[in-house]
Amino acid sequence: MAQDYYQTLGVARDASADDIRKAYRKLARKHHPDLNPGDKAAEDRFKKVQEAYDVLSEPKKKQMYDQVGFYSENGAAAGAGEKGEPHMGFGGFDFSDAFSRGGNARHSSGGNAADFQDIFQQWFGRNQGAPAAAAPQKGTDLEYGLNIDFWQAIKGTQVKLNITRQEACATCGGTGTRAGANTVCPECNGTGNVTQQAGAMKFSLTCPRCDGTGRLRNKCAACAGDGRISTTESVEVRIPPGAQQGSRLRVAGKGNAGTMGAPAGDLYITLRVEPHPLFRREGDDIEISVPVRIDEAGLGAKIEVPTIDGRALLKIPQGTHNGQKFRMREKGVLNSRSGKRGDQIVEALVQAPVVQDERTKELLREYAQLHPEDPRAGIWVQV
Ligand SMILES: [Zn+2]
Ligand SMILES: [Zn+2]
């Protein structure tokens, strides 16, 4: 007969987890093989105590034991454990009814089969119906960051990216199964059932090896049955002209492959645009600061300024002051979506001359005599 775990530990059926633990420790010490060298009976008792504690100390196992009178790691093989004794919890109940899997009508005479199925799902978290893996699932999206320089962003470019992604296995076409007929399950010889003999009792169980199908699915060797393999692939990405910092590009179908032929996810690339030492991007506008001499600022001038197209002439008026900004229309970035160009904004940085020669000093003194007015006059009014 199967042991009564509560009896083995010498505790009541409603004993608390704490009581169970205490009882186990006491008995384990008492029957420990180290303390009973050569005592076979003590060793057996020690093993039984261990087994009882293993089940009663774990809520899920304990729940199963309390409900059906035994515990087994594998619900389908229940009662056929190494203990070599049938469990009598059901008193003659035909085990095969309780353990036939969902959707399996071979042993559907037992009215309780559905209930047991529920219990097993609860214990093993396994769906006894269609395996979850059978449903094709769309592949997941991939996110990559990509650094491009200022000019690549403005002019657009093609970039080759090495992407590590899950690809549909070419060997099996994503099915995970090797081509050809599946082999007959050697465990049950293709019947889907195995017979277990325990003492005087014989019972038929769903074959655990093939899940009652009678056949072993030949796993594809290339992908180990997953249907997908991880590969590093070179993906060509076209960056459109005018791409901006933080833009997110989508490359359809270059995410991870789906399972069982379901569509792949997408690849998303987020752009990081490196700054330029001179040009600053402000959306589709370009901003730049350029030095201006005092004679140019004072007299007005046509000055050469850099643009993203090369050099261009900018007319600055008489009396240009430091920090004054000028707009050069449509000298900014071409926006590939609107088809329009932004502007370039030029800031004038009026520079004082570095004077070393006498002649220039003379000229500046002369200038001062001509313009003796206080440039800070406006400030005093406000103080
Ligand atoms: Zn494969
Ligand atoms: Zn089998």
Side-chain angles (χ1 to χ4, degrees):
M1 289 292 291
Q3 61 164 326
D4 179 330
Y5 292 148
Y6 290 99
Q7 218 176 318
T8 302
L9 293 182
V11 295
R13 292 192 80 81
D14 58 356
S16 69
D18 211 35
D19 288 342
I20 289 171
R21 191 168 56 247
K22 280 179 190 158
Y24 162 71
R25 283 196 183 150
K26 208 175 122 196
L27 289 169
R29 269 198 299 270
K30 187 177 163 193
H31 300 302
H32 199 282
D34 288 354
L35 299 176
N36 303 277
D39 185 344
K40 186 81 175 64
E43 195 185 318
D44 285 348
R45 277 197 301 278
F46 180 72
K47 278 184 187 161
K48 283 191 171 178
V49 165
Q50 292 251 295
E51 183 190 323
Y53 183 65
D54 175 61
V55 170
L56 296 186
S57 62
E58 231 177 83
K60 276 202 168 183
K61 294 182 181 177
K62 184 174 185 291
Q63 189 195 357
M64 180 175 180
Y65 180 75
D66 289 345
Q67 277 179 271
V68 296
F70 64 89
Y71 171 77
S72 168
E73 292 291 334
N74 181 348
E82 349 156 289
K83 292 184 290 292
E85 273 185 301
H87 296 275
M88 299 305 284
F90 294 123
F93 187 87
D94 180 359
F95 278 65
S96 60
D97 280 338
F99 302 118
S100 60
R101 299 288 176 91
N104 184 337
R106 281 194 304 277
H107 299 284
S108 57
S109 61
N112 289 332
D115 295 341
F116 278 103
Q117 216 175 298
D118 286 348
I119 291 169
F120 283 125
Q121 277 175 23
Q122 194 185 323
W123 281 326
F124 302 110
R126 198 192 292 160
N127 185 344
Q128 304 284 322
Q137 284 188 317
K138 188 179 190 281
T140 48
D141 293 335
L142 283 174
E143 292 277 352
Y144 267 71
L146 174 64
N147 285 348
I148 54 172
D149 70 27
F150 176 84
W151 295 109
Q152 287 175 313
I154 289 196
K155 295 180 172 166
T157 185
Q158 298 261 102
V159 175
K160 269 189 185 160
L161 274 181
N162 283 330
I163 305 287
T164 300
R165 57 187 290 265
Q166 294 264 298
E167 194 182 51
C169 173
T171 310
C172 63
T175 61
T177 310
R178 198 187 299 167
N182 290 343
T183 50
V184 171
C185 172
E187 191 81 25
C188 60
N189 291 319
T191 61
N193 292 303
V194 286
T195 305
Q196 298 277 0
Q197 175 128 23
M201 268 182 90
K202 247 190 192 181
F203 34 100
S204 171
L205 304 169
T206 302
C207 173
R209 183 142 174 208
C210 63
D211 268 356
T213 59
R215 307 212 144 236
L216 287 185
R217 189 169 153 262
N218 276 338
K219 280 182 183 174
C220 166
C223 63
D226 183 58
R228 299 178 300 176
I229 40 176
S230 185
T231 54
T232 299
E233 189 182 325
S234 175
V235 175
E236 192 129 322
V237 183
R238 200 184 69 83
I239 314 288
Q244 295 199 20
Q245 164 74 20
S247 307
R248 204 153 163 266
L249 306 174
R250 176 171 164 268
V251 186
K254 286 295 180 188
N256 286 323
T259 59
M260 304 189 72
D266 298 326
L267 167 65
Y268 286 95
I269 292 159
T270 302
L271 296 180
R272 289 186 291 262
V273 181
E274 287 158 17
H276 188 276
L278 229 52
F279 297 113
R280 298 182 296 271
R281 283 280 296 272
E282 203 56 64
D284 295 330
D285 290 342
I286 294 280
E287 292 183 354
I288 185 171
S289 301
V290 297
V292 173
R293 287 203 315 264
I294 52 165
D295 59 295
E296 292 171 329
L299 301 172
K302 273 185 178 172
I303 60 169
E304 245 186 352
V305 296
T307 72
I308 57 172
D309 301 323
R311 292 167 184 236
L313 280 177
L314 172 68
K315 201 172 159 224
I316 55 169
Q318 270 188 29
T320 291
H321 60 259
N322 187 46
Q324 194 169 344
K325 288 179 175 173
F326 302 95
R327 184 175 292 267
M328 301 172 82
R329 299 225 172 260
E330 295 186 353
K331 290 288 187 191
V333 180
L334 174 70
N335 184 313
S336 63
R337 242 175 293 168
S338 65
K340 285 182 184 155
R341 283 188 74 161
D343 299 333
Q344 174 162 297
I345 315 294
V346 181
E347 180 189 29
L349 299 179
V350 180
Q351 295 192 327
V354 180
V355 182
Q356 275 153 346
D357 60 294
E358 275 312 308
R359 175 75 184 120
T360 310
K361 286 179 186 170
E362 252 172 60
L363 283 172
L364 288 177
R365 283 188 202 108
E366 217 171 297
Y367 170 84
Q369 277 165 11
L370 283 169
H371 299 279
E373 61 270 19
D374 181 359
R376 290 162 293 278
I379 290 178
W380 303 130
V381 174
Q382 294 171 55
V383 169

